[in-house]
Amino acid sequence: MMFSSNQILKVSGSLSHRNELESALEFALKYSGQANNMQQEEIDRGCKLLYQITEDGKYCIGWGFKKIPKGWLEYPFKFDIDIVSRIIRQYIENFQVERETLDGSYEKGFIMQCINTCTSTQKDGIKNPFYGIVYFKPYTCFYSK
């Protein structure tokens, strides 16, 4: 299984519920077929799960095979969904909640969206998006009264 080049996947969630971000990342990796690259035999073959942070604040997860594509970075540890989810959560927690004048409550959240692949050197601030899987960015969850 893998994402089509024009796949639409967009998930929002709360940071106050610990497993939402982790579950979203796990789903995206499984659905895209990239979860297989976390298996030791695939790592030994040269498969890598990578990351990049764009200038506009997207935390991107991508892949590589033997070489690391320009603009992407290798994790200094074996990729682990729990650890990477915590890193993304901590990154997103640094952003402020945007409040509107609506009556209700607000809390920090995230949006996870698949990266539409193309062979451009950069699209939507993502370098070499062909190697992208998903990105995360801050989101304000609103709960109306």
Side-chain angles (χ1 to χ4, degrees):
M1 195 184 302
M2 65 184 275
F3 288 150
S4 61
S5 296
N6 64 343
Q7 183 77 38
I8 298 171
L9 173 67
K10 192 172 188 178
V11 176
S12 66
S14 170
L15 291 182
S16 65
H17 301 102
R18 186 183 177 275
N19 292 335
E20 283 187 16
L21 193 144
E22 182 177 350
S23 295
L25 177 57
E26 183 175 23
F27 172 78
L29 291 175
K30 284 181 181 177
Y31 193 71
S32 68
Q34 295 298 330
N36 296 334
N37 291 344
M38 296 182 338
Q39 298 172 358
Q40 191 58 50
E41 62 191 42
E42 292 300 303
I43 293 169
D44 293 343
R45 266 183 4 102
C47 293
K48 304 169 185 313
L49 287 172
L50 310 168
Y51 76 97
Q52 72 171 274
I53 299 172
T54 64
E55 288 183 20
D56 64 352
K58 294 180 190 106
Y59 190 104
C60 306
I61 304 288
W63 63 276
F65 184 72
K66 295 189 180 177
K67 294 181 182 178
I68 298 172
K70 187 175 181 178
W72 292 91
L73 300 166
E74 189 170 5
Y75 285 97
F77 51 84
K78 183 179 176 184
F79 189 94
D80 179 279
I81 290 175
D82 181 55
I83 294 169
V84 172
S85 297
R86 289 174 191 231
I87 291 169
I88 296 169
R89 169 190 294 280
Q90 188 176 44
Y91 173 74
I92 290 174
E93 284 176 342
N94 288 320
F95 291 86
Q96 296 296 318
V97 171
E98 294 180 19
R99 296 183 188 276
E100 297 179 24
T101 58
L102 302 173
D103 192 17
S105 62
Y106 298 83
E107 67 181 30
K108 289 183 182 183
F110 67 91
I111 286 203
M112 178 189 77
Q113 190 166 337
C114 67
I115 298 171
N116 291 326
T117 60
C118 68
T119 55
S120 298
T121 56
Q122 186 167 321
K123 184 176 181 186
D124 297 326
I126 302 169
K127 296 174 184 165
N128 284 310
F130 178 79
Y131 298 96
I133 303 169
V134 292
Y135 69 79
F136 290 83
K137 64 181 184 179
Y139 180 71
T140 300
C141 297
F142 171 71
Y143 302 94
S144 63
K145 284 188 173 181

